[in-house]
């Protein structure tokens, strides 16, 4: 009989385990059933843990299920009302999104006559590729799926694919509002992408590395304090990229009836509805790493590696909340104003940020 | 949708073990796609704003039909709108639900015999009906609960009546006859627009003298019909000359009203233009230039569009109503306000269904309505071809669109710039003018109020003042002040309504919620005064229905200071928000000359620099006794229009405070003029019990009675033509401010960017039901 | 006259205004001025004069038809009761809740309730017959608390009370103005007896004396409803004070 430990070692997953002291003893006490041990070891294998649990699928799923609720509740609060509530009123309607997603799941998906059927149905699913791939490179604490020194660049490259899929959605819909929305999306894409990349570049210059774990470790002082201009640029560009207020220009509910998404219904719309949350999640993760010290923070006793994960998630949620609370504060800019902000103010800000980084590096601050 | 296309759709897990999950999900996720056609829309907004917050029940507003699963029909579905309702319903994915709220969508409510009405229940399957006119927010949420329970399997009406025994003793034991109708129609009424009246008005006599000298042989007669009212009779050939002369020398610069009166028994139409001036001394004077033309199938009449662009839409409207062809107006092909199949409905030979006063066989009576046969909402082919040629992009915004209001805007775009916008109104045209010809004077009060229930008191006040003017009634002092309070409350309410809509149009939902909290306060004051949140029908000829209590007065007085706390937050988050300023400043500029030429009215005209406020020019109620200022501006852009109105509201709060203090000091006493009550003068403190006695047989003296009122959104003109014998008006013409402002919106948006349209549209406070009437 | 001008915001002011807007949002997220009534679990207290569903008292009704005549929506139609009198029925599919009927009812037979939130699953059910308007109807209610709006000098407050609000109110009867019908020109009477036939209270009687028809109005029985005045073919009847 093969010794299970040999297998685990043989697979090369033994040395790279997530260590959680609090439950370690419990894990050790588990009966020596071969398969259970194998499965647990496999789950706790860092790359797998990152992809499957955090920051991967599970966290994303939970976030998608609860974050819109948090957003709706927070907006409700700022707007002097309560938001979703009656579904389980003693918990403040916390499972609202479960109801919404079930409803979408069971609803009819209408494919209208003018739509290009295959693409119309494929694109909502295809968009998950750029949404999920970056998660492979984003570390939560020191847990990461794929470690590479070029992680930040890869993340950026994948994020840049996003608008292409939205263009695809709009194109396949073949509707006038979707068309205008798609064109607007394309315009905005160029306006924010350049400053966005420069802002990230500024941080890479500052840290001298583009390995996310390395960046996080280097931040004895958080990036947001070292280079606040880059942080501001990044944040505004993120708001543009996820089309949040005041840059909700491609979707513009009152003008274009949600732009590229106007023709989607049922689960296809459900997937698109969560798309911007996914994108925001990726960007917030990136922001947490670049500017907020990633998973750093006082270690929580007994949680081991999970401590970093929790700090990371906390920062992500704070960034997300701020990003989404913007819609209670601002009206929407016009397209030309959005573009001029992107190409004007934001681009200058990003260049200043880059200059600042160079000065800081030359000055030997970091 | 054709049958074959349906197969393209995808249905997942339609039945089986997942049914409970599916039911539960649908129950808590009813996303309504609204049909906010008219009045009920205001209460709907209250139901989903911070006062009641419909989102609590999981009903998130979603304006897009594909993603919603619940239609709430709020208000009238007209013949034009019926098509849109059917299309939207078909666009929605299964499972879907429909609630109809408000009497309009059930058996028609006050519009039950309108020629332009349809019943939603005959167009789409309806799950629940919620009575009310308008419904209260609670009613709407009760409807949502009822649908939720229906999904759970409990489909029930939420009220249970107990049947009691009716008295069976004391039969008359004799043959009896049922009373006929309360209405009296003169068989061949004498219609005269220029009934002379002796008034103390020296300026007018001089004016008539100078007009006579100036017009020479162009006129037939010039009469003073009332103070500040002059009627000039002329021939159809000379009309244009007279008007050109007036605009050239006298300084008349705008048209307030275009009206046609059908007199079938004399085989003629009377066509009249009411013109006036914004120059200082002529401001209060309204000159009616009228003429008579033969009553043919399609009589031809010279158009005045070349002179004043502001008459354009009104002439098209008259073309729809009477079939008169205004030579020179471009819009004479096809219908403007009405559905294509409707025939000249305001001609007297177009009869409406008569009231029935006896219930027959327990069947509720409602006239039969023929539905439009096809679902097409045509756009002119020429336009499309022309746009194709010049490489423009044509977008149809509305009538069911999150930001269209209930009319259709046909936009021609060149890139991001608006080349042209063609309005397609009439989706909420409920035919008030026709209905008014078939109702008692007193019954028209609730009717006209429904033109605009975000500004109900001013709508009442205008109509009632026209009647009072005709009867020569002086209103008791206390009633005057209370009416002033009501009118100002209503003006403030209308402003906040528009602020909310503007903030939604610019994408700012918080601004909307904040002002709706303020509106909730206003409505609380209104409901305590009158018993109804939005449709008070409280102002009646001679005064108000009953006195209001001191508690409510205190509350109103508190309101003037309590509003500040929330208003300041609204200012900080919306009005002075740099993004809002950037969106509205310098957008949709109308200069003083343009504003007058396009005929815009009210605060929007003042924002372009015209100092014209009827409350100062021709003071009514208690406005001349209170201390306040008219607000004007120079910018003439969206921000200027909005801020001008905002400043005006601060003045309104000043008026309100003073008026409430004055009423508090006054002794309690009569609130209805004894002159109008006659025998029933004991009811002068409270009309309860005697409304019909006192007003049922109200007959106005012969002639045309015109009143102008400064409503929340501008000049509101009522013109009542009475034959002096009937207790129903012969014709009532309403010119609402929004109808006049429509042209302004179009002209201000041309050349701006697409997104600017909403900033312009919102800044004009356009309220489609008010415009379409 | 007051002139309103709006200045362009400078960079400094813009920054301040951005900060204030964000400040308001932050403050409201911590300490909001929430003004939400949790309907259906609680119910907003409406004033007693709220114009809601109608109730009817046949004992006070004089069958004057005025509610039907004044109804602008033609929602009130009269229906014969077993005692041959005509009583109102209300079609809530048409009713606009203007309560002109209540204000026209001189006997105070019609009165208001505070019911205003009802959903019907069928339009035919919306017709409420006279016999259903006499006793208090039952509606589905889920509320345990009632909320009152209090507006003081500073703000709007919601006062929550743990009690179920009653929806049926006592109303004061209208001022009585006793009127009777009187014939002002007996000589013109053509004896068509419309007045007698239309009178619901049997106050008008006719008799033939020496071959001449004589109409008699019993002032005690006359309710002053005015139906005879309205229907008189010669227009010789008037209402006068008793």
């Amino acid at each position: 009989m093969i010794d299970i430990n040999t297998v685990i070692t043989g697979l090369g997953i033994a040395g790279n385990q997530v260590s959680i002291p609090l439950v370690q003893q419990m894990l050790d006490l588990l009966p020596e059933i071969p398969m259970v041990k194998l499965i647990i070891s496999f789950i706790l294998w860092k790359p797998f843990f990152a992809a499957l649990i955090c920051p991967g699928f599970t966290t994303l799923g939970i976030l998608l299920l609860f974050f819109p609720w948090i957003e709706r509740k927070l907006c409700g609060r700022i707007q002097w009302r309560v938001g979703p509530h009656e579904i389980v009123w003693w918990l403040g309607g916390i499972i609202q999104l479960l109801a919404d997603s079930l409803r979408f799941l069971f609803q009819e998906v209408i494919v209208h006559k003018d739509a290009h059927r295959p693409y119309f149905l494929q694109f909502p699913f295809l968009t998950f590729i750029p949404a999920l791939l970056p998660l492979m490179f984003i570390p939560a604490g020191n847990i990461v799926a794929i470690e590479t020194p070029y992680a930040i660049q890869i993340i950026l490259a994948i994020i840049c694919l996003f608008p292409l899929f939205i263009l695809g959605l709009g194109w396949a819909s073949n509707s006038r509002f979707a068309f205008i929305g798609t064109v607007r999306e394309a315009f905005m894409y160029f306006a924010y992408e350049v400053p966005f990349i420069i802002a990230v570049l500024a941080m890479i210059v500052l840290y001298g590395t583009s390995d996310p774990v390395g960046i996080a470790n280097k931040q004895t002082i958080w990036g947001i304090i070292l280079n606040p201009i880059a942080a501001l640029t990044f944040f505004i560009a993120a708001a543009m990229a996820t089309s949040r207020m005041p840059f909700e220009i491609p979707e513009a509910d009152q003008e274009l009836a949600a732009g590229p998404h106007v023709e989607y219904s049922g689960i296809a719309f459900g997937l698109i509805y969560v798309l911007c949350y996914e994108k925001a999640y990726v960007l917030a993760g990136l922001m947490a790493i670049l500017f907020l010290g990633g998973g750093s923070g006082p270690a929580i006793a007994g949680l081991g590696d999970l401590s970093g994960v929790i700090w990371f998630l906390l920062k992500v949620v704070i960034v997300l909340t701020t990003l989404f609370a913007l819609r209670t504060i601002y009206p929407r800019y016009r397209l030309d104003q959005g573009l001029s902000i992107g190409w004007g103010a934001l681009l200058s800000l990003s260049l200043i940020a880059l200059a600042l980084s160079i000065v800081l590096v030359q000055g030997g601050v970091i | 949708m054709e049958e074959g296309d349906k197969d393209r759709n995808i249905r997942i897990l339609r039945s089986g073990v997942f049914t409970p999950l599916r039911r539960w999900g649908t129950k808590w996720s009813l996303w309504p796609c609204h049909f906010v056609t008219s009045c009920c829309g205001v209460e709907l907004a209250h139901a989903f704003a911070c006062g009641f917050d419909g989102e609590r029940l999981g009903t998130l507003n979603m304006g897009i039909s594909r993603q919603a699963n619940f239609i709430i029909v709020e208000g009238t579905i007209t013949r034009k709108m019926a098509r849109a309702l059917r299309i939207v319903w078909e666009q929605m994915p299964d499972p879907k639900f429909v609630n109809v709220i408000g009497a309009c969508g059930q058996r028609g409510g006050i519009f039950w015999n309108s020629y332009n009405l349809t019943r939603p229940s005959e167009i789409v399957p309806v799950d629940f009906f919620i009575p009310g006119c308008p419904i209260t927010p609670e009613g709407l949420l009760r409807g949502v609960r009822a649908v939720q329970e229906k999904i759970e399997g409990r489909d029930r009406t939420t009220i249970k009546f107990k049947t009691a025994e009716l008295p069976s003793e004391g039969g008359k034991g004799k043959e009896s006859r049922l009373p006929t109708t309360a209405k009296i129609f003169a068989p061949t009424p004498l219609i005269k627009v220029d009934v002379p009246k002796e008034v103390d008005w020296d300026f007018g006599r001089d004016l008539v003298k100078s007009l006579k000298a100036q017009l020479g042989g162009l006129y037939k007669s010039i009469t003073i019909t009332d103070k500040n009212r002059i009627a000039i009779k002329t021939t159809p050939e000379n009309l244009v000359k007279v008007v050109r002369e007036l605009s050239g020398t006298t300084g008349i610069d705008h048209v307030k009203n275009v009206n046609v009166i059908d007199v079938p028994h004399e085989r003629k139409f009377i066509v009249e233009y009411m013109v006036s001036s914004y120059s200082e001394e002529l401001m209060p004077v309204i000159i009616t230039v009228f003429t008579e033309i033969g009553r043919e199938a399609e009589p031809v009449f010279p158009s005045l569009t070349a002179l004043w662009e502001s008459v354009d839409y009104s002439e098209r409207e008259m073309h729809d109503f009477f079939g008169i062809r205004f030579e020179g107006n471009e819009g004479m092909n096809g219908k403007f306000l009405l559905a294509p199949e409707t025939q000249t409905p305001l001609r007297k030979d177009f009869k409406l269904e008569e009231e029935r006063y006896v219930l027959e066989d327990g069947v509720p009576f409602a006239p039969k309505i023929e539905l439009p046969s096809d679902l097409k909402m045509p756009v002119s082919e020429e336009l499309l071809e022309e746009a194709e040629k010049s490489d423009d992009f044509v977008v149809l915004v509305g009538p069911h669109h999150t930001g269209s209001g209930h009319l259709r805007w046909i936009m021609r775009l060149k890139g991001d710039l608006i080349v042209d916008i063609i309005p397609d109104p009439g989706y909420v045209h409920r035919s008030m003018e026709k209905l008014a010809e078939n109702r008692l004077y007193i019954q028209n009060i609730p009717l006209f109020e429904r033109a605009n229930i975000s500004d109900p008191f001013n709508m009442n006040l205008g109509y009632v003042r026209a009647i009072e003017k005709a009867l020569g009634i002086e209103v008791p002092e206390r009633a005057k002040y209370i009416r002033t309070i009501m009118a100002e409350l209503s003006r403030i309410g209308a402003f906040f309504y528009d602020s909310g809509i503007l903030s939604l149009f610019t994408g700012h939902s918080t601004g909307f919620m904040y002002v709706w909290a303020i509106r909730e306060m206003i409505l609380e004051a209104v409901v305590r005064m009158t018993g109804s949140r939005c449709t008070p029908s409280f102002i009646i000829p001679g005064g108000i229905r009953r006195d209001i209590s001191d508690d409510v007065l205190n509350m109103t007085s508190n309101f003037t200071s309590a509003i500040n706390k929330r208003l300041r937050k609204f200012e900080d988050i919306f009005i002075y928000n740099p993004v809002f300023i950037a969106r509205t400043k310098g957008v949709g500029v109308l200069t003083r000359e343009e504003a007058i030429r396009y005929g815009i009215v009210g605060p929007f005209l003042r924002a372009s620099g015209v100092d014209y406020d009827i409350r100062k020019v021709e003071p009514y109620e208690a406005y001349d006794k209170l201390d306040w200022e008219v607000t004007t501006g120079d910018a003439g852009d969206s921000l200027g229009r909005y801020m001008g109105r905002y400043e005006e509201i601060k003045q309104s709060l000043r008026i309100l405070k003073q008026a409430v203090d004055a009423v508090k000091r006054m002794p309690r006493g009569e609130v209805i003029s004894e002159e109008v009550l006659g025998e029933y003068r004991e009811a002068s403190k409270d009309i309860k019990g005697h409304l019909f006695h006192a007003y049922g047989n109200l007959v106005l003296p012969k002639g045309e009675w015109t009143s102008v009122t400064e409503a929340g959104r501008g000049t509101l003109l009522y013109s009542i033509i009475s034959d002096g014998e009937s207790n129903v008006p012969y014709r009532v013409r309403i010119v609402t401010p929004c109808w006049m402002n429509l042209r302004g919106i179009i002209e201000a948006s041309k050349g701006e960017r697409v997104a600017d349209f909403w900033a312009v549209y919102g800044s004009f406070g356009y309220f489609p039901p008010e415009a379409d009437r | 006259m007051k002139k309103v001008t709006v200045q362009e915001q400078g960079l400094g002011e813009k920054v301040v205004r951005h900060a204030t807007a964000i400040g308001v949002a932050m403050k409201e997220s911590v300490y909001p001025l929430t003004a939400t009534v949790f309907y259906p679990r609680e119910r907003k207290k409406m004033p007693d004069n709220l114009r809601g569903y109608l109730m009817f008292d046949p004992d006070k009704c004089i069958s004057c038809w005025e509610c039907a005549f004044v109804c602008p929506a033609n929602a009130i139609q009269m229906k014969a009761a077993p005692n041959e009198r005509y009583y109102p029925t209300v079609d809530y599919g048409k009713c606009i809740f203007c309560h002109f009927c209540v204000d026209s009812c001189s006997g105070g037979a019609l009165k208001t309730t505070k019911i205003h939130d009802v959903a019907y699953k069928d339009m035919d059910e919306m017709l409420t017959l006279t016999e259903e308007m006499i006793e208090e109807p039952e509606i589905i209610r889920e509320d345990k608390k009632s909320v009152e709006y209090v507006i003081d000098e500073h703000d709007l407050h919601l006062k929550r009370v743990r009690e179920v609000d009653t929806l049926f109110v006592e109303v004061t009867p209208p001022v009585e103005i006793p009127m009777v019908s009187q014939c002002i020109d007996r000589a013109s009477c053509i004896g068509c007896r419309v007045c007698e036939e239309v009178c619901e209270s049997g106050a008008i009687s006719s008799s033939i004396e020496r071959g001449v028809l004589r109409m008699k109005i019993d002032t005690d029985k006359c309710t002053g409803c005015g139906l005879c005045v309205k229907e008189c073919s010669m227009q010789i009847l008037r209402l006068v004070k008793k």
Side-chain angles (χ1 to χ4, degrees), chain B residues 620-663:
Chain B
Y620 53 94
E621 307 312 318
Y623 285 115
D624 47 349
K625 292 170 201 139
L626 305 167
D627 175 33
W628 62 283
E629 286 171 300
V630 176
T631 324
T632 62
D634 284 328
D637 57 356
S638 288
L639 186 64
R641 280 188 285 271
Y642 183 75
M643 293 307 283
R645 257 186 111 185
Y646 181 48
E647 196 53 49
E648 192 176 295
I649 290 318
K650 288 184 179 162
Q651 297 293 332
S652 287
L653 287 169
R654 241 174 99 188
I655 299 174
L656 198 58
K657 180 84 184 144
Q658 292 172 44
V660 173
D661 288 346
V663 176

Side-chain angles (χ1 to χ4, degrees), chain B residues 200-225:
Chain B
D200 175 30
W201 187 33
D202 292 332
F203 178 75
R205 272 188 286 277
D206 295 343
L207 186 65
V208 169
K209 233 174 266 166
S210 70
L211 279 176
K212 279 184 176 164
Q214 186 195 329
L215 293 176
L218 294 174
Y219 70 93
K220 276 186 172 170
S221 68
I222 301 185
T223 332
I224 296 180
T225 55

